[in-house]
Amino acid sequence: QVQLVESGGGLVQAGGSLRLSCLASGRTFSSNAMGWFRQAPGKEREFVAAISWNGAMTYYRDSVKGRFTISRDNAKNTVYLQMNSLKPEDTAVYYCAAYRSSYSTPSRLEWEYEYWGRGTQVTVSS
């Protein structure tokens, strides 16, 4: 059974940092691009960051550039999202996702990701 399990969420004050992890099990995703998405209350799920299978390419939404860093450790089947200088508007459930095919460039499009985790809550207080 393929699973993506996010962890590392929590409550943090504005300006603080969190590091999210996404551990894959059931199969390896070392040849798949991976992405992070988020959904705030009452809003649509939105793209946050994506990384290519080998880590050579990364993409970010404009509002997190310079503050968030996506990375991966294929030996551990884990993807990370380091979040610094957090703002209240970053409050959301954060989801990890695996791209539908191997060796493809990262995508910002939610529908192109096949496997999803259940999410981890990030709350940033002002």
Side-chain angles (χ1 to χ4, degrees), residues 7 20 29 40 43 48 67 71 80 82 84 101 106 118 125:
S7 61
L20 305 184
F29 288 103
K43 295 187 177 181
V48 176
R67 301 189 297 122
S71 62
Y80 305 97
Q82 177 67 44
N84 299 328
S101 57
R118 293 188 175 185
S125 63

Side-chain angles (χ1 to χ4, degrees), residues 38-49:
R38 68 186 181 187
Q39 187 169 22
K43 295 187 177 181
E44 297 288 318
R45 188 156 58 183
E46 64 184 18
F47 168 79
V48 176

Side-chain angles (χ1 to χ4, degrees), residues 13-83:
Q13 288 189 330
S17 298
L18 285 173
R19 187 195 196 202
L20 305 184
S21 299
C22 172
L23 174 63
S25 62
R27 58 159 283 186
T28 177
F29 288 103
S30 59
S31 60
N32 295 71
M34 300 292 291
W36 285 96
F37 293 78
R38 68 186 181 187
Q39 187 169 22
K43 295 187 177 181
E44 297 288 318
R45 188 156 58 183
E46 64 184 18
F47 168 79
V48 176
I51 187 168
S52 61
W53 68 274
N54 60 358
M57 290 183 288
T58 56
Y59 297 144
Y60 299 92
R61 70 179 298 105
D62 287 345
S63 62
V64 307
K65 284 180 182 177
R67 301 189 297 122
F68 290 12
T69 302
I70 188 171
S71 62
R72 66 190 298 162
D73 185 337
N74 285 342
K76 296 181 179 180
N77 230 14
T78 302
V79 178
Y80 305 97
L81 185 67
Q82 177 67 44
M83 305 186 296

